[in-house]
Amino acid sequence: MHNTPSSAAIVAIGNEVLNGSVVNTNAAFIALQLTALGIAVESHAVVQDQIAAIAKTVKHCLETHTVVILTGGLGPTDDDLTAEGLALTLNFPLVEDLEMASKIERIFQEKNMAMAIINRRQARRPERCTFFNNPVGTAPGITYSNSQSILLAFPGVPRELEAMWPAAAGLIGEWFEQYQPVRTQPIFSTLYLTGLGESELVSRLTNYFKADYLKKHPLHRHVDENDPNRSKGKTSPEFSYATYVTSKIIRLEIQTHSNSSPEAMRTASQDLNAFTAKIKAAFLKYVLPFDTDLTGHAHLYNPDTMLAAALCTRLKNAGHRLSIAESCTGGLISSLITDVPGSSAVTVFNGVAYGNAEKTSVLGVSAETLEREGAVSKAVALEMAQGILKLSQTDVALAITGIAGPSGGTAEKPVGTAWVAVVFSDPISENSSKNVPENNSMPEAACHQITLHPQLSRQTIKQGFAQQALLLVYQLLYKRNADQPQGNYQAENK
């Protein structure tokens, strides 16, 4: 009996994955693809290169899941044992497919290479299983299905798996059309937030997901008077959520379910978008304002660059350009910004002044300030920001100076200490309700000290410095431009 009508298990086969020598990026790719197909991934497993172990795991997965995906063990060497494991699981003899053997041989001939005898191992499959095409390698995929489940085995090379996926997705779709034409399918919407903690977000979200919330705050949509669920009190949709935190970003996924008929999916998506709008309105201050990158293409979730992408969107909406002067981060902040497609619209002049002499000669930091305060200080960060602003003639300037370690720290300024300064070229108007500098001819400025744990690695500290610096600029821009348009979102059928 399967756990859900459309649950999936992903199994990686290989000692190199089991012992950590190889990172299992295949599992992440497959899980994303299955989720996009509306298939809930319920299990991940890693199995050693041993026939009995493979057979035991695969047998369990076939008994408990609708879709089973295997990766690895389809190569030509003696420790590639997935075909043997499948044969034992299914109790089918292992056979050589002569047509596939000829195809593999042709691949070598086209490359003017001699095929080793061991490559014929890749033409073996359990009887009653079939091959599916590998357009970029010699190892074909193996598939088997019955009325209860479908299994697909891929080679472990990521680029081969990814190239094979469209054909595999077609096989999965055909199986569902035959055996489960109407099924329960999850639908997600996603919001990205920053500037508050996960525990605070969750505690504030609780009320919105209580059973009686939608009775008090109904969604504005048409309800079919003939809907058989209406008399059963089931016309209010049910929502759940999950949060994921990385790189100062909280990813909030809101989920509902629908059967897979077009009408039901359309209604569920409308409900989900309406409910997500309520959540977004309640947390508008923290919601990152984008769905697309600056070139208009759909934004792909990447926790390392998401805050940079959101900042670029906010800069563009405000009509601002940003310049950056870095010391301890060595150009990392600039790299994160320029990783965003279209970022040339919002940043034009950035630089790294690692030495004190360069801070003085290029950015105009006072030698007296360096001597009196030290390179890692509020005063130096502020002068760096003012210097890069003057050089670049941009609207906003960011500067950072700090100690990334593992050496260089002191009792007063330990490793993990940095100062960030942000300077705006246009002071806030005297008529503004916001704070106004005493001298309106001077740029508005803000400084912030960052303190990270000194035992973190140098790379982790640099990443932390960079993300917190981006967050400071983002939050300051929000305060100055609180009426900026926020990004939209649409429910995703996953």
Side-chain angles (χ1 to χ4, degrees), residues 67-322:
V67 180
V68 179
I69 306 292
L70 312 180
T71 64
L74 294 181
T77 62
D78 289 341
D79 62 348
D80 289 309
L81 300 170
T82 296
E84 287 87 343
L86 287 176
L88 180 59
T89 303
L90 302 171
N91 196 28
F92 300 151
L94 199 61
V95 298
E96 182 179 39
D97 188 310
L98 297 180
E99 183 179 347
M100 181 55 65
S102 296
K103 181 178 179 180
I104 294 171
E105 189 169 0
R106 286 196 302 272
I107 293 173
F108 281 91
Q109 290 172 348
E110 290 168 0
K111 296 180 179 179
N112 295 317
M113 297 172 61
M115 187 182 86
I117 294 298
I118 61 171
N119 283 103
R120 291 187 70 92
R121 286 172 53 88
Q122 295 175 304
R124 297 177 308 150
R125 57 173 174 77
E127 194 173 65
R128 294 172 58 184
C129 291
T130 57
F131 286 125
F132 62 99
N133 187 45
N134 179 346
V136 295
T138 58
I142 299 174
T143 183
Y144 170 78
S145 66
N146 56 30
S147 62
Q148 296 298 307
S149 58
I150 178 170
L151 177 148
L152 299 101
F154 295 81
V157 181
R159 68 179 182 87
E160 295 185 22
L161 184 155
E162 292 172 17
M164 297 167 71
W165 185 259
L171 293 172
I172 294 171
E174 290 171 6
W175 186 90
F176 275 107
E177 286 180 10
Q178 181 175 0
Y179 294 109
Q180 291 187 15
V182 177
R183 58 194 172 93
T184 300
Q185 185 165 326
I187 310 174
F188 296 85
S189 66
T190 304
L191 296 175
Y192 301 97
L193 303 93
T194 192
L196 80 169
E198 183 182 23
S199 58
E200 179 185 356
L201 173 63
V202 170
S203 64
R204 292 173 59 182
L205 278 174
T206 302
N207 287 335
Y208 294 91
F209 290 86
K210 287 181 178 178
D212 63 345
Y213 175 79
L214 289 178
K215 294 180 181 178
K216 298 177 181 178
H217 308 275
L219 300 175
H220 297 290
R221 66 171 175 84
H222 172 72
V223 177
D224 185 352
E225 295 293 336
N226 297 317
D227 184 347
N229 287 326
R230 183 174 176 81
S231 62
K232 301 176 184 177
K234 295 181 180 179
T235 52
S236 293
E238 295 182 358
F239 301 103
S240 60
Y241 73 91
T243 56
Y244 313 89
V245 183
T246 183
S247 298
K248 311 298 284 187
I249 304 295
I250 302 175
R251 180 178 182 175
L252 171 62
E253 284 195 351
I254 304 171
Q255 177 178 322
T256 189
H257 288 81
S258 168
N259 73 52
S260 56
S261 68
E263 183 178 353
M265 292 291 289
R266 182 168 55 253
T267 299
S269 294
Q270 291 172 350
D271 287 345
L272 181 59
N273 286 333
F275 182 71
T276 303
K278 290 179 178 289
I279 302 299
K280 182 177 180 180
F283 294 90
L284 189 61
K285 177 180 178 181
Y286 306 104
V287 175
L288 297 183
F290 64 90
D291 325 294
T292 60
D293 63 34
L294 300 189
T295 64
H297 292 89
H299 179 81
L300 300 178
Y301 176 68
N302 180 332
D304 293 329
T305 60
M306 177 158 285
L307 188 51
L311 174 57
C312 285
T313 298
R314 192 167 288 288
L315 286 164
K316 183 179 180 182
N317 289 346
H320 288 343
R321 295 185 305 163
L322 171 71

Side-chain angles (χ1 to χ4, degrees), residues 470-489:
L470 292 170
L471 179 60
L472 178 62
V473 184
Y474 178 85
Q475 291 175 327
L476 290 171
L477 279 170
Y478 179 86
K479 291 177 182 178
R480 290 169 60 93
N481 303 279
D483 57 346
Q484 278 189 26
Q486 304 294 306
N488 297 319
Y489 50 81

